[in-house]
Structures are given as structure tokens and as C-alpha cells.
Amino acid sequence: MNWLKPSWQAVLAIVLCLIAVALGPIAAPKVDALAQPAGTLIYPYVATTGLIFGVLLLAALISMARIPSIVEAVVLFIGAHLVAWLLIGGITGFEGLARTPFFLLLTAAWLLGWRCVAVLSSLRPFAKWARTALRLIIPAIFGAWILIIWEAVTRGAGIPFILLPPPSAIGARIAGSLPVLGADVRQTIFKAVIFGYVVGSGAGFITAVLADRVPFLRRGLLPIGNMVSALPIIGVAPIMVMWFGFDWQSKAAVVIIMTFFPMLVNTVAGLAASGHMERDLMRTYASGYWQTLLKLRLPAAAPFIFNALKINSTLALIGAIVAEFFGTPVVGMGFRISTEVGRMNIDMVWAEIAVAALAGSVFYGVVALVERAVTFWHPSVRGG
Amino acid sequence: MDTFRDKLIPVTSILLGVVVLWYVFAVILNTPFQRDLDRRANETSTFSELIGKTLSQPKPTLPAPHQVAVNFFENTFLRPITSNRSLVYNAWVTLSSTLLGFAFGTALGIIIAVGIVHVATLDRSLMPWIIASQTIPILAVAPMIIVVLGAIGISGLIPKAMISTYLSFFPVTVGMVKGLRSPEIMHLDLMHTYNASRSQTFWRLRVPASVPFLFTSMKVAVAASLVGAIVGELPTGAVAGIGAKLLAGAYYSQSIDIWSALVAGSVVAALLVMVVGIAGRIVDRAMGGRPA
């Protein structure tokens, strides 16, 4: 048994595969009444049933042999995704007719995918590029499987489109309504979010530097700032809409208020982060307040400031979108979401959410990249 | 005496400053509308009359603090609790979904954190997505969750609680992962020398070490959970709850109502954070923690 190294995922996958064989066809046949009144049965998976079982069993068996990890991972990767692709491709036209074997096979393919990720995460390559690639590939496979399972289950079980559209339909909707989505992004993100984010974070930063200069102000503002960051500030949205009208200015105002306090609290904490030794050193250099601030204390505060900028990047998006629920011109992401929900165009809502998620991730990613460039000296950046 | 001088005086004076500024802005912001009213009524008010009027409009642009205070007091203490205008009733509606969502979120967060700490595959594949999940403005998804779940017959508490769950699991997960990994190598090695099993190491070392982290992140989570519950009430069409109160106020321009609902939300948030903090201190003391 020296050449065998069983894993529970592969064994379970084989067992599920065998049960699926015993249970019979993958999906129920469809009576194509339109083509022939006599009622011809159209069977799904006519050509691919053998292929699906073959690929699944082969991949599971090969993965248990004592072969190099990287080969095992590649075999599992190809096997799992080929089976998933065949399963999803075969269900086209037979939505909602899937039987138990369909879901068993899907689970088996998913187990192989899991095994693939497990093998990949046990790899410890020496080359730096390979480690970076692994760090990206592992979550990517995980994310891909969420989409695969979502697609296969919604179509296999025939979940109503209104409840949960499959990802492919959402993708098609995104591709089909790019101009509308673009206009919404311009209104919500490029007008309200960016302006509010810059002004709110800037105001918080300046207030923090002022508060740092005046100890009395700091002692008073810090507890209040901490307190306020626990409050549901989003509730000021209706007031801002009342004051500044329906256009983007009111959304920017909400964003300013939401981003102000995290920045204030974090910057004040960051300005206190430089040690006594360093400050004493600056004093021996006879540096003034501003020199100490610019050359020592602000760089030392940078990790805290970037932490606030990261928190604010998500808060700003949330603030702008929620503020649009309270009144907006006929464009904007929050407006689109609330009206399309009312019209039951759920795929459009999901498209908008996908765009918002993408925008949020890009926003966060840009801040994180700038942070790496600015705080290159910090242990958390050097170590990784 | 030190806390009095170092904390109380600065905080109160800044709060006083805020109130004074509030009054000034209330006068400034309400003046144009008041002048308009006066012109239509063919009245000319003196300066002091004008100020008095700006501070007692029924639907002011910015209500004065005392108007909000009076409205808050009336709606909290003078109305029967069962009335749907009572702030206590609305706060209770919001609070119940907040607590349910918070309980689910904390449980989910702890389970995910335990999985991430113990299963290497989960650590490498799930953690990036958990961080990415928070860049999705989930509050934007709230109306859809509520409408869709309403379409299949689930309404009331559960959809709102789900939004709270989504918002509150993240801080707990991140905090607990940090907490469960906080025991030093020395301590883990000591458990090895005792021949402790994985579950023994978990229960006797990792869990106690993670408790302070748990309560810190629960404070953040409970505040997030309240925000989720409030936003979750917006698309239900203003039935009950603090969010509904905000929406109704926005529709009918009842600015004083909006402000007093905001105050009620803030009071609930402060109470929740305080309760979690006190619970944390009690647990800490029961576990034999010494004040640092």
C-alpha cells in the first residue's frame, strides 16, 4: 500500500459517485410537447453521463496515488472543474429537473475542489512568484466554487428567477446594461463618495492635529469621538437630504459625517504612537513642533491613518448608497437598487450589487496599495 | 479628582460648546423660512422676537435642542408603551431584531474563527473572502433581502436580523481569530509537554486567551448590528422601529421626529455597548483577571 495515500475528500467523492450511479439518471427527461404532439422524451446528459463519471472517478483515484503534490493539484483542478462544467452545461434546457444524482455529483466535484485547495495550501514553494500566485489562486478557487454551486443549484433545482437568479444571468445583465450602471457609478461614486471621502477624512485629520496641539481639546474630543463611532450615524441621512436637496451634495454630506470620526479617533491615537525616545531625539536635534510633527509623528501615525482610510472606504460607499434611499434624482446605485427591487428586476439589483462590491474592493485595494507604498518601513509590510 | 479634571471638564465643556453652536445654527438655518413666514403675515419681528420664533417652529430646518428634548421626553415617557408613536415601542422593535442578529452574528463569527484557526485550508481560502465581504455595501442589499424573503413568506424579525448578522459577524470573526491565536508559542509548547490533546489545548488555553478579544469585538459588533437593524427597517415601508420612524419623519418633513428618533437610536447604541462592556468586565473578573 506504499503507492496509496487516501484522503477523505477523494474517498467520499468516490462513494458519492457510486451512489449516484446506483440512483440512475442525473436529471429527469423533458417531454418536448411542442415538437411532437405524441410526446418525445428528450433525455439530458445522453452523451456526457459516461464522461462525467469517468472524469470524476479517474481524478479521485489518481489523486490518491503517491504522486508529486503539484501534479495531484493539477489533476484535481482539471477533474473538478471539468465535471462542474459538464454538469452545468448539461442542465441547460432541463432547469428544475435535476434529481438527487445531480447534487451528489456536484458535491463530489466540490470535494475534489476542496482537496485541490488543501493540497495547494500545503505547498511551500521557494520562489517568491510562486508563493504570490498561490496566495491568489487558493481564494480564487474558493470564490469560483461559490459561483459554481450557486449556478448549479439555482438551475438544477429550478429556483425561481425572482428569488435568486443564477450568476450567469447576472453577468449577462451587467454586460447588457453597462451605460445605466456607468451612469449610476458616476453619480454615486465619482460625485458623492469621492468628494465626501476626501473632505470628511481631511476634516477629521485636521481636527485631530488641532486636538493634538491643544490637550484640553483632545481630552474632550476623544471620548466623544469614541462614543459617536458607536452611534448609528447613518440616521442623519434623511436630515441631510432635507437640507441639501436630492442631488449628490446631500449624499456627500452623509459621507463626510460618517468618515469624520473614525479619522479623528485613529489620527489622535496615531499621533500618540511615537515613542519617548524618538521624541527626545528630535528635541536634541533642536527641532520645532512642526518639524517633529512632519518628520517623526506623522510617519509614525501613518499605519493608524491608513487604518482609518480603509474603514472609511467601506463606510463612504454604505453612506452614499443608503442616503439615496431617502430621495435622489433618477440615477444612482441606491436609487436603482430600491426601484428595481420594487419592479422585481432582481437580476438588475444583483448586477448593481456586483458593481458596488467591485467598486468597494477596488477602493479598498487602492488604499491598501498606497499604504504599502507609504508605510514600507512598518513590520507588517516588511514581513509580508 | 484626576478623572474629574482630565475627563469630565473637557468633555462637558465641549458638549456645552456643541449645544451652543447648535442653537446658533438653529437660528441661522431657520431664519430665512421665518422671514418668509413673517413677510406673508405682514409682520415685522424685532431681532429677539425673530430668535424666539426660529426656535419654536413646528417643522424647522434644524430643530433647537430643547425642541428635540421635549419631543423625546413626550414620546418616551408620556405615551403608553403600546402606542406606535412611542419611542420605547419603536426602540424595542429595533432592539429585538438587533439582539437576534447580534446573537446569530456572534455565534457565526465564533464558528468561522474556530474553523479558520483549526483548518489550514479554510484559513487560506476563506479569510480573503471574509475581508472582501465587508467591502460589499451590504446595507445596499438590505431592501432586496427583505423584499425577497417577504415574497416567500418570511417577514418581520428574521430578514432584519439577517442583515444585522451579516454586519456583526465580521468583527467577531476577525477578533476571535486574533484571540484564538494570541497564546504565545511558550504556552502552546507547555500544553504539548502536558501531552494535551487539541481539544484540551483549545478549551483550556485558546478559549480563555480569546475572551478579552471576544468582548472588544462584540462591542463593535453590537453597534454594527444596530445599524443593520435600523437600515433593515427602511424598505419595509415604515411599519415600526427607529428606522421606520426616520423614514416617516423624512416623508412628512417632521424634522423634530427625525432628531428624536436619532437620539433614541443613540441611547440604545450607548446602552448596548455599555451592557456588553459590563458583561465583559464581569466575565473577566469571574475568570480571575486582575485589573491591569
Side-chain angles (χ1 to χ4, degrees):
Chain A
M1 296 298 272
N2 211 3
W3 45 272
L4 203 64
K5 57 172 177 56
S7 62
W8 66 268
Q9 290 104 331
V11 172
L12 193 59
I14 293 174
V15 170
L16 287 176
C17 206
L18 295 178
I19 298 176
V21 171
L23 283 177
I26 298 176
K30 185 162 75 170
V31 180
D32 201 346
L34 281 177
Q36 285 204 347
T40 317
L41 290 179
I42 295 184
Y43 285 95
Y45 299 109
V46 178
T48 53
T49 306
L51 192 58
I52 290 175
F53 283 110
V55 170
L56 204 51
L57 287 175
L58 203 64
L61 287 174
I62 290 177
S63 81
M64 290 202 291
R66 193 164 287 284
I67 47 176
S69 293
I70 186 74
V71 180
E72 184 186 350
V74 169
V75 167
L76 285 168
F77 181 81
I78 295 174
H81 292 85
L82 188 61
V83 168
W85 186 66
L86 287 171
L87 278 174
I88 291 176
I91 201 75
T92 310
F94 299 91
E95 274 88 356
L97 296 173
R99 286 186 176 162
T100 323
F102 177 83
F103 298 105
L104 289 179
L105 288 172
L106 186 69
T107 316
W110 171 68
L111 283 170
L112 292 188
W114 183 350
R115 177 75 195 146
C116 175
V117 171
V119 171
L120 281 178
S121 32
S122 66
L123 287 181
R124 290 281 176 275
F126 283 113
K128 203 174 172 201
W129 64 267
R131 260 180 308 198
T132 315
L134 267 186
R135 221 180 36 235
L136 294 177
I137 288 173
I138 293 172
I141 295 178
F142 187 86
W145 271 96
I146 292 179
L147 290 183
I148 289 172
I149 291 175
W150 180 354
E151 177 90 24
V153 169
T154 47
R155 290 175 60 181
I159 293 174
F161 198 74
I162 297 285
L163 288 186
L164 191 65
S168 56
I170 298 167
R173 176 58 99 151
I174 293 179
S177 45
L178 279 179
V180 176
L181 292 172
D184 290 345
V185 167
R186 195 161 57 240
Q187 169 77 16
T188 303
I189 295 182
F190 289 116
K191 286 184 184 165
V193 170
I194 302 264
F195 180 80
Y197 180 78
V198 170
V199 173
S201 301
F205 179 76
I206 291 170
T207 314
V209 173
L210 273 181
D212 184 69
R213 189 81 215 237
V214 187
F216 182 78
L217 213 56
R218 184 180 66 228
R219 280 196 221 108
L221 269 180
L222 208 53
I224 295 176
N226 274 324
M227 174 73 206
V228 170
S229 42
L231 300 184
I233 305 185
I234 194 83
V236 299
I239 297 164
M240 292 300 133
V241 172
M242 221 182 263
W243 285 3
F244 296 104
F246 280 178
D247 210 354
W248 62 271
Q249 288 88 348
S250 58
K251 282 81 202 172
V254 176
V255 175
I256 290 174
I257 297 175
M258 285 186 79
T259 52
F260 177 81
F261 287 101
M263 193 61 174
L264 172 68
V265 172
N266 275 291
T267 308
V268 169
L271 287 175
S274 56
H276 272 290
M277 290 283 268
E278 292 109 339
R279 263 184 256 186
D280 285 346
L281 182 66
M282 289 306 276
R283 206 166 300 138
T284 62
Y285 292 159
S287 59
Y289 169 80
W290 289 106
Q291 277 175 322
T292 315
L293 184 71
L294 284 178
K295 303 217 163 134
L296 168 66
R297 299 178 62 212
L298 280 183
F304 291 83
I305 295 172
F306 275 101
N307 187 26
L309 284 176
K310 281 185 192 164
I311 297 173
N312 281 348
S313 73
T314 40
L315 280 182
L317 264 184
I318 291 177
I321 292 179
V322 172
E324 285 183 358
F325 293 165
F326 286 98
T328 169
V330 290
V331 65
M333 302 172 92
F335 164 79
R336 194 77 54 203
I337 289 173
S338 50
T339 48
E340 298 294 330
V341 162
R343 293 164 61 192
M344 283 291 167
N345 282 337
I346 301 297
D347 55 342
M348 186 64 192
V349 179
W350 277 101
E352 202 74 55
I353 289 166
V355 170
L358 185 70
S361 306
V362 168
F363 200 172
Y364 188 93
V366 167
V367 174
L369 280 181
V370 174
E371 178 184 21
R372 282 182 81 88
V374 172
T375 62
F376 56 89
W377 47 268
H378 197 262
S380 70
V381 176
R382 277 190 313 189
Chain B
M1 255 341 249
D2 271 358
T3 53
F4 181 73
R5 209 182 54 227
D6 286 349
K7 262 192 156 170
L8 221 56
I9 294 181
V11 170
T12 6
S13 49
I14 284 185
L15 282 179
L16 270 180
V18 168
V19 171
V20 170
L21 262 184
W22 190 343
Y23 268 112
V24 171
F25 272 98
V27 171
I28 294 174
L29 286 172
N30 295 337
T31 302
F33 184 62
Q34 191 58 46
R35 284 203 193 286
D36 212 32
L37 281 183
D38 282 357
R39 202 165 45 244
R40 275 183 221 171
N42 272 328
E43 286 174 10
T44 38
S45 336
T46 60
F47 184 67
S48 57
E49 272 175 3
L50 186 75
I51 288 181
K53 280 181 188 169
T54 51
L55 296 182
S56 57
Q57 288 176 357
K59 289 184 179 181
T61 314
L62 175 62
H66 69 264
Q67 285 176 300
V68 177
V70 167
N71 183 295
F72 181 76
F73 182 80
E74 273 179 3
N75 285 329
T76 309
F77 298 106
L78 300 186
R79 286 189 200 287
I81 293 177
T82 48
S83 146
N84 64 0
R85 290 189 61 190
S86 160
L87 277 177
V88 179
Y89 168 75
N90 283 302
W92 167 247
V93 169
T94 305
L95 187 64
S96 55
S97 59
T98 303
L99 289 180
L100 191 64
F102 175 60
F104 283 155
T106 308
L108 184 69
I110 292 174
I111 291 170
I112 292 178
V114 171
I116 283 176
V117 168
H118 282 97
V119 185
T121 317
L122 279 183
D123 178 27
R124 310 239 350 216
S125 59
L126 193 57
M127 204 55 191
W129 287 103
I130 288 186
I131 293 169
S133 78
Q134 297 301 307
T135 64
I136 301 173
I138 179 67
L139 293 181
V141 189
M144 196 188 54
I145 294 177
I146 288 180
V147 170
V148 164
L149 286 182
I152 58 172
I154 303 173
S155 61
L157 211 57
I158 304 286
K160 282 192 279 173
M162 272 179 64
I163 295 159
S164 300
T165 305
Y166 187 94
L167 282 181
S168 57
F169 94 94
F170 175 71
V172 174
T173 303
V174 172
M176 277 303 275
V177 167
K178 219 183 240 171
L180 290 173
R181 288 202 175 132
S182 65
E184 292 161 33
I185 307 278
M186 286 278 275
H187 297 157
L188 288 170
D189 281 346
L190 184 65
M191 293 305 274
H192 266 300
T193 64
Y194 291 159
N195 192 24
S197 68
R198 252 173 106 113
S199 74
Q200 280 172 327
T201 312
F202 178 74
W203 288 111
R204 310 253 163 104
L205 177 61
R206 287 189 190 271
V207 168
S210 71
V211 166
F213 290 85
L214 176 65
F215 278 99
T216 315
S217 48
M218 268 164 73
K219 272 193 212 167
V220 180
V222 82
S225 180
L226 180 68
V227 173
I230 289 178
V231 175
E233 282 159 0
L234 297 181
T236 52
V239 183
I242 290 174
K245 212 68 175 130
L246 286 176
L247 196 64
Y251 277 157
Y252 304 116
S253 307
Q254 298 281 8
S255 47
I256 304 180
D257 276 359
I258 298 182
W259 281 94
S260 67
L262 264 182
V263 172
S266 309
V267 169
V268 172
L271 284 179
L272 284 173
V273 172
M274 221 164 72
V275 166
V276 172
I278 290 172
R281 226 170 294 157
I282 290 174
V283 170
D284 195 39
R285 201 166 299 159
M287 286 172 56
R290 278 154 302 193

